[in-house]
Amino acid sequence: GALSPIPTEGGVVVEIVGTDFGPDDTISTPTATYGKAGTELTATGCTIISHTMMRCTTVAGVGETHFWKVTVGTEAQTSAASSGDDSTSYAVPTVTDVFDATGAAAADSLSTAGGDDVVLKGTNFGPLSTTIAATYGPSGSETDYTATSCTVTDAHVEITCTSTAGIGKDHGWIVTVGTVGDGQQSSVATTASEALSRYAAPTIDSVVAASGD
């Protein structure tokens, strides 16, 4: 059956069960790749345990429903791709804290004009090269605003985005990792209740007659 979702850092040893993997003392080094097409990511440290089992270590990545392909033998290059529910998925992202660029809580600092850097802390954001999208808004409408220029700034645990123009408070965030439509898209994650942002409240500096009145 399918593995439980693994952290985007990788490093999880998986057992691949099948047939005709060869003896454990085979002179060839087995290899394994995985991904939507079975080839996008290359596992490390693969070893044959028996004719029906090999072990490999996953690498950093994102996305869901990655299928496996194994190669045993230096000449035949025989490969077998997994199918059905024998796939691997990375864990979905979670957001635990929201800050502005200074490290202060972003809850009361965002300009209604937008353009502020917002730092999201959490888990399973993926490697530095991961494509990131983020939206935010009030409860039930967390897609009202779309942040721009989102990048992973600390692998797997931190994202930095730029806010857009808006108003309001108690905005939760939804983060999506991976490119939509190519099998690297993970499920979205909504922030915990304490990880909310808000735009600054309006202030009045003065009230004067309109020009011409």
Side-chain angles (χ1 to χ4, degrees), residues 33-176:
T33 58
Y34 59 105
K36 180 169 179 155
T39 58
E40 291 87 343
L41 300 166
T42 301
T44 62
C46 293
T47 58
I48 292 176
I49 306 304
S50 70
H51 291 277
T52 59
M53 180 186 293
M54 61 189 295
R55 287 185 183 138
C56 298
T57 302
T58 59
V59 295
V62 297
E64 56 191 356
T65 317
H66 295 297
F67 295 106
W68 287 78
K69 190 176 215 179
V70 301
T71 300
V72 180
T74 57
E75 294 183 5
Q77 294 295 308
T78 302
S79 298
S82 62
S83 59
D85 65 351
D86 296 323
S87 63
T88 298
S89 294
Y90 288 94
V92 299
T94 60
V95 178
T96 57
D97 294 287
V98 179
F99 300 95
D100 65 16
T102 68
D108 55 4
S109 64
L110 297 182
S111 168
T112 59
D116 288 332
D117 286 339
V118 180
V119 178
L120 309 179
K121 300 279 190 177
T123 61
N124 296 311
F125 294 150
L128 294 177
S129 59
T130 301
T131 299
I132 295 289
T135 61
Y136 58 101
S139 178
S141 300
E142 287 86 359
T143 58
D144 277 3
Y145 300 110
T146 300
T148 61
S149 304
C150 292
T151 59
V152 178
T153 45
D154 189 355
H156 312 290
V157 297
E158 182 185 281
I159 297 168
T160 299
C161 297
T162 303
S163 66
T164 190
I167 58 172
K169 63 179 182 178
D170 297 334
H171 291 169
W173 286 71
I174 292 176
V175 170
T176 304

